[in-house]
Amino acid sequence: MFLFSVACQSDHNNRNLGETTRNNTQVQTEIKLTANRTITSWLNDGIEGVQFLHTSDWQIDDRIFLNSSCDKGYLLLLNRDLSPLAELDYIQVLYTAKEEGVWNIYLESMPNIIIPRTKVNGNFKPSTFEQLALAGEQVMERNYRKSDGTINDSFVNNEFNTDLKKNHLIFLSKRLESKLKSIRCSSFS
């Protein structure tokens, strides 16, 4: 379960990876905006599975790893713990799929990549977003391209299945108790 970023152009399978991975296409911009809005909404709605981001500095990586149809793909959530005692930083792999004309973001069931911090003068130094992005992209590249350089569509497409959707619904149903009380009270108003 890993990701890559490409521009959705008719000749993208024949281009050099370095030429296509950082293109800021309309599709990539749309996916990044959707991911940021979705995660912010999950945080505000008290979804338990993302509350750790309140104690983190996070951002969505610029690279999005789309299939050749540009309707499914992976993206990376770069996550730096704000605790000065933290020994690790994280990259959460997210999945995206365009369903009925709308991009949806999936987090549950996706892998995490753990990045140990380096120790400098007895303290752990947080990774930069650039370091996290590079590490995540290198991991994802192992599966994203076939040996002939074309996109490995099965790697991208096979992740989108009933288990992903089922686990996502369970993920969305788990809210902080304070949010559940707020929802219950407002429904009686």
Side-chain angles (χ1 to χ4, degrees):
M1 297 180 191
F2 300 90
L3 65 101
F4 270 69
S5 169
V6 295
C8 293
Q9 300 171 7
S10 59
D11 65 341
H12 72 274
N13 277 341
N14 298 323
R15 295 171 148 237
N16 178 305
L17 181 61
E19 294 174 346
T20 61
T21 57
R22 297 227 179 256
N23 286 345
N24 192 14
T25 67
Q26 181 178 349
V27 170
Q28 290 169 318
T29 301
E30 187 178 341
I31 292 169
K32 278 188 69 174
L33 285 170
T34 299
N36 277 304
R37 286 184 193 133
T38 300
I39 293 167
T40 300
S41 174
W42 290 342
L43 285 165
N44 293 337
D45 291 345
I47 303 299
E48 286 182 3
V50 293
Q51 295 307 305
F52 66 91
L53 293 174
H54 281 299
T55 60
S56 300
D57 189 13
W58 61 273
Q59 73 178 39
I60 302 295
D61 186 26
D62 289 333
R63 291 182 70 182
I64 299 174
F65 305 94
L66 296 168
N67 63 7
S68 56
S69 301
C70 292
D71 63 355
K72 294 177 187 70
Y74 295 100
L75 54 158
L76 298 173
L77 172 60
L78 311 175
N79 175 12
R80 298 187 308 191
D81 194 318
L82 292 177
S83 170
L85 303 176
E87 298 178 24
L88 303 170
D89 290 309
Y90 302 90
I91 303 162
Q92 279 76 29
V93 178
L94 304 175
Y95 192 80
T96 187
K98 193 164 195 173
E99 302 168 86
E100 299 178 17
V102 177
W103 287 102
N104 290 311
I105 305 297
Y106 298 90
L107 171 65
E108 191 66 20
S109 302
M110 301 304 297
N112 294 327
I113 302 168
I114 300 169
I115 308 297
R117 291 182 171 182
T118 52
K119 204 168 194 177
V120 179
N121 298 328
N123 296 317
F124 290 100
K125 181 180 174 192
S127 305
T128 65
F129 283 128
E130 292 78 16
Q131 291 168 326
L132 292 173
L134 180 61
E137 292 164 8
Q138 287 175 343
V139 169
M140 297 309 293
E141 288 175 15
R142 295 180 196 152
N143 294 302
Y144 183 65
R145 296 242 177 225
K146 296 179 186 176
S147 60
D148 64 1
T150 59
I151 295 170
N152 183 354
D153 280 331
S154 63
F155 168 70
V156 178
N157 296 336
N158 289 345
E159 188 64 44
F160 192 66
N161 57 43
T162 55
D163 283 342
L164 180 74
K165 289 183 172 191
K166 180 182 82 175
N167 290 335
H168 184 67
L169 290 175
I170 294 168
F171 165 79
L172 292 176
S173 72
K174 294 180 181 177
R175 295 175 186 245
L176 297 175
E177 187 60 32
S178 61
K179 289 291 183 176
L180 285 174
K181 286 178 185 175
S182 171
I183 292 168
R184 285 185 203 124
C185 290
S186 66
S187 64
F188 292 113
S189 305

